[in-house]
Amino acid sequence: MSLVHVTDLTVEFGDLRAVDGLSVRLEQGAALALVGESGSGKSTVASALLGLHRGTGARVGGSVEVAGVDVQRAPDDDLRRLRGGKAAMVFQDPLSSLDPYYAIGDQIAEVYRVHTRVSRRAARARAVEVLDRVGIPDAVRRSRARPHEFSGGMRQRALIAMALACEPDLLIADEPTTALDVTVQAQILDLLHTLRQETGMGLLLVTHDVGVAAESVDDVLVMRHGRAVEQGPVGAVLGAPAEAYTRELLAAVPRVDAPRTPSRASGEVVLEAKSLRREFGRGKKAFAAVDDVSLTVHRGETLGVVGESGSGKTTLGRMLVGLLEPTAGEVRHDGHARVGVNPAVQMVFQDPVSSLNPRRSVGESIADPLRARGERDEKRIRGRVTELLERVGLEGAHYDRYPHEFSGGQRQRVGIARALAADPRVIVCDEPVSALDVTTQAQVVALLGELQRELGLALVFVAHDLAVVRQVSDRVAVMRRGRIVETGPADEVYDNPRDPYTKQLLAAVPALDPRIAARRRAERREVAVT
């Protein structure tokens, strides 16, 4: 009997059919990736395996069997025993999945007690055991910590530990590495691979990142508009895709080994940082997020800034824009020292949802820089905003729509239009595509390149995705612990890295070839052992 057996699954939300006639099997101990763009239906399928649509108003048809349980017909008590017991799920955002008020160990222990009815002491011991198993150092002490005291990677490990507490037959991982930098992502993927080998559990991985699929699974199922487009062994599907859509998906994946055509940069320096330092906290608790960083940005070029979470790259970007004041050093625009926000240097933020006011139309948000410059003619304001919306690939009629009416990629286009409204010379992009699927990511990157060529913009592209940074950058600065450890032309830094940290980052980038991925995983294991 298959661990997962889905036949002709359909899931409808009102008039929307999110999943349309999907059939799939997963055997015990095997690993399958559901890959596709946002809106393809892959997360809806994952939720259907645990009956999470029950009671939501969704209409679910077809047959779903997981670990011998008929999910469609099972009583609620049987479903509760399935969830967390025989099948467990790891969600994309660990912060929203963990209770901020309770210690990590207590939350894991509670899950274990629900399914095993053991004593509190035994449950606490089990929580420490699984935290140690997923690589949380000093598990006894850290089990008493709360979620905010863990890094993003550690929170994801804690969620995996919670999922493992009852030794499930199936682990469902829904975009488990989307918000993580490359080295932490590699650690999580290596962990999942090791756990599969040691426990024999099956893995269903939901991801929009084709490289993550290549690193992690035996088979892949490509989804589009709720349907299966192509399915088979991961090496065959990614190495020689039979369907046009799969080929388009692969073509949109940025490659760390693909040099780009340089921008037409001039020698004019439009932005300069001199010995920047930014401290947070006071007294003995003070720490430097950015420490003695100097760089220059020329008109028409793209400077990529890469590094892990906590390296200081976002803090640096905010100082360049003027949103943070340096503790020491200075930012110079067009050769002049500048304090505070300068309209000539604008920012595109990582999360367009939180950077756009949900109660105001996108047109009004884009118009803000125009009004800040003194424009009062509403007809001229609306005309300029309409031009900007059309310039970034949206419609002028979208002026009166609100952020929730747009997709993630469209909201990012709105953010770019708002930045352009100030007629900037420099745009600082802070992780502008990290939350987008590969095709939407490619579209936003192409738009930025087009705007740069037409307007002569300089871009500072801050990101943890090394493949995207190589695709867009003329020069690259690698940051670690607040300092720049290596800088130079992009091709030189990527092809001949000098600093060991840069080499470590590049070695952690997912490979589309499963054979290369397996070799790198073995090399990382050897390094960890030694």
Side-chain angles (χ1 to χ4, degrees), residues 97-134:
S97 304
L98 294 167
D99 192 314
Y101 295 105
Y102 292 94
I104 293 285
D106 290 343
Q107 297 185 54
I108 297 174
E110 182 65 22
V111 170
Y112 189 59
R113 292 191 72 222
V114 165
H115 290 280
T116 60
R117 306 298 180 184
V118 299
S119 68
R120 291 184 182 276
R121 183 174 182 178
R124 285 283 306 173
R126 177 58 176 166
V128 171
E129 180 184 343
V130 291
L131 284 170
D132 180 70
R133 180 65 198 83
V134 299

Side-chain angles (χ1 to χ4, degrees), residues 278-283 285-290 315 318-319 324 327:
R278 173 68 194 201
E279 295 178 356
F280 292 97
R282 294 181 179 179
K285 294 185 178 181
F287 73 98
V290 172
T315 300
R318 289 174 180 266
M319 283 194 288
L324 283 176
T327 305

Side-chain angles (χ1 to χ4, degrees), residues 197-521:
Q197 287 185 321
E198 294 181 356
T199 66
M201 70 178 183
L203 173 66
L204 181 77
L205 177 69
V206 175
T207 181
H208 68 257
D209 191 325
V210 182
V212 167
E215 290 268 341
S216 314
V217 300
D218 310 310
D219 296 281
V220 62
L221 188 156
V222 180
M223 293 188 66
R224 187 186 193 192
H225 302 324
R227 289 180 168 271
V229 174
E230 186 167 358
Q231 182 176 3
V234 63
V237 172
L238 300 187
E243 299 297 325
Y245 175 71
T246 309
R247 292 194 290 272
E248 292 172 10
L249 205 61
L250 286 167
V253 176
R255 308 296 177 100
V256 76
D257 56 353
R260 62 158 269 173
T261 303
S263 302
R264 293 193 294 271
S266 72
E268 179 188 357
V269 175
V270 292
L271 182 62
E272 186 176 12
K274 285 185 170 292
S275 303
L276 284 186
R277 180 181 177 86
R278 173 68 194 201
E279 295 178 356
F280 292 97
R282 294 181 179 179
K284 293 181 179 180
K285 294 185 178 181
F287 73 98
V290 172
D291 186 12
D292 194 26
V293 167
S294 297
L295 54 81
T296 58
V297 183
H298 299 86
R299 183 176 184 273
E301 79 163 347
T302 300
L303 172 68
V305 180
V306 298
E308 296 173 286
S309 299
S311 63
K313 56 188 187 297
T314 292
T315 300
L316 172 63
R318 289 174 180 266
M319 283 194 288
L320 295 178
V321 174
L323 295 177
L324 283 176
E325 186 176 343
T327 305
E330 64 179 16
V331 177
R332 302 178 67 86
H333 300 162
D334 295 321
H336 303 287
R338 179 87 186 200
V339 177
V341 175
N342 181 358
V345 184
Q346 292 292 307
M347 195 165 204
V348 175
F349 295 90
Q350 175 177 358
D351 182 6
V353 175
S354 60
S355 62
L356 293 171
N357 189 330
R359 294 181 175 84
R360 302 180 70 214
S361 72
V362 297
E364 288 300 299
S365 291
I366 295 170
D368 282 343
L370 301 175
R371 295 194 172 102
R373 290 162 55 187
E375 181 62 68
R376 295 292 179 266
D377 187 322
E378 289 301 316
K379 184 176 181 180
R380 291 174 61 180
I381 289 173
R382 194 174 186 97
R384 176 58 176 154
V385 172
T386 297
E387 290 176 9
L388 289 168
L389 284 168
E390 293 173 350
R391 183 64 199 81
V392 299
L394 299 173
E395 297 178 18
H398 289 162
Y399 187 108
D400 296 310
R401 292 189 180 182
Y402 289 83
H404 72 272
E405 300 179 73
F406 294 86
S407 68
Q410 288 175 322
R411 283 193 290 261
Q412 201 57 288
R413 289 173 185 267
V414 171
I416 295 170
R418 182 176 57 184
L420 292 176
D423 292 326
R425 304 194 70 191
V426 183
I427 296 181
V428 177
C429 304
D430 184 14
E431 299 278 9
V433 296
S434 63
L436 307 178
D437 56 58
V438 288
T439 50
T440 307
Q441 188 179 89
Q443 293 165 5
V444 172
V445 166
L447 172 62
L448 287 169
E450 184 180 325
L451 292 170
Q452 181 182 45
R453 289 188 294 272
E454 290 187 7
L455 304 176
L457 293 170
L459 299 179
V460 179
F461 199 95
V462 177
H464 67 257
D465 189 326
L466 276 79
V468 172
V469 170
R470 178 160 197 175
Q471 182 182 354
V472 303
S473 302
D474 302 296
R475 291 186 298 119
V476 173
V478 182
M479 290 193 70
R480 186 188 191 194
R481 297 175 181 171
R483 290 178 171 267
I484 292 178
V485 297
E486 184 165 358
T487 186
D491 291 348
E492 182 179 311
V493 171
Y494 277 76
D495 295 338
N496 298 292
R498 300 186 307 275
D499 192 88
Y501 177 68
T502 308
K503 295 176 182 178
Q504 178 186 340
L505 287 179
L506 290 169
V509 176
L512 288 178
D513 186 332
R515 294 169 298 181
I516 296 175
R519 188 184 73 237
R520 289 182 178 177
R521 184 165 51 243

Side-chain angles (χ1 to χ4, degrees), residues 18 32 42 54 86 90 166 177 225 261 338 342 429 498:
L32 169 70
K42 55 190 186 296
R54 184 173 292 190
K86 295 181 179 180
V90 176
C166 299
T177 63
H225 302 324
T261 303
R338 179 87 186 200
N342 181 358
C429 304
R498 300 186 307 275

Side-chain angles (χ1 to χ4, degrees), residues 25-190:
R25 284 178 181 263
L26 178 65
E27 304 303 323
Q28 183 72 46
L32 169 70
L34 300 183
V35 177
E37 299 171 280
S38 299
S40 63
K42 55 190 186 296
S43 291
T44 305
V45 173
S47 296
L49 296 184
L50 295 181
L52 297 179
H53 298 305
R54 184 173 292 190
T56 66
R59 298 187 301 276
V60 183
S63 171
V64 179
E65 290 187 10
V66 177
V69 176
D70 185 338
V71 175
Q72 296 285 77
R73 296 183 175 85
D76 289 344
D77 286 346
D78 288 352
L79 267 188
R80 279 192 288 269
R81 282 190 289 271
L82 172 69
R83 299 166 182 162
K86 295 181 179 180
M89 196 164 186
V90 176
F91 294 92
Q92 176 176 350
D93 181 9
L95 266 184
S96 63
S97 304
L98 294 167
D99 192 314
Y101 295 105
Y102 292 94
I104 293 285
D106 290 343
Q107 297 185 54
I108 297 174
E110 182 65 22
V111 170
Y112 189 59
R113 292 191 72 222
V114 165
H115 290 280
T116 60
R117 306 298 180 184
V118 299
S119 68
R120 291 184 182 276
R121 183 174 182 178
R124 285 283 306 173
R126 177 58 176 166
V128 171
E129 180 184 343
V130 291
L131 284 170
D132 180 70
R133 180 65 198 83
V134 299
I136 301 290
D138 195 3
V140 174
R141 181 178 63 85
R142 297 308 298 273
S143 70
R144 296 189 287 269
R146 287 170 173 75
H148 73 273
E149 298 177 84
F150 277 48
S151 67
M154 286 298 182
R155 282 193 292 264
Q156 200 61 285
R157 286 175 184 265
L159 271 189
I160 295 173
M162 186 181 294
L164 292 175
C166 299
E167 299 182 350
D169 297 320
L170 171 67
L171 181 65
I172 303 169
D174 187 2
E175 301 278 10
T177 63
T178 295
L180 305 178
D181 53 58
V182 287
T183 52
V184 179
Q185 174 179 268
Q187 293 166 9
I188 296 298
L189 296 179
D190 289 351

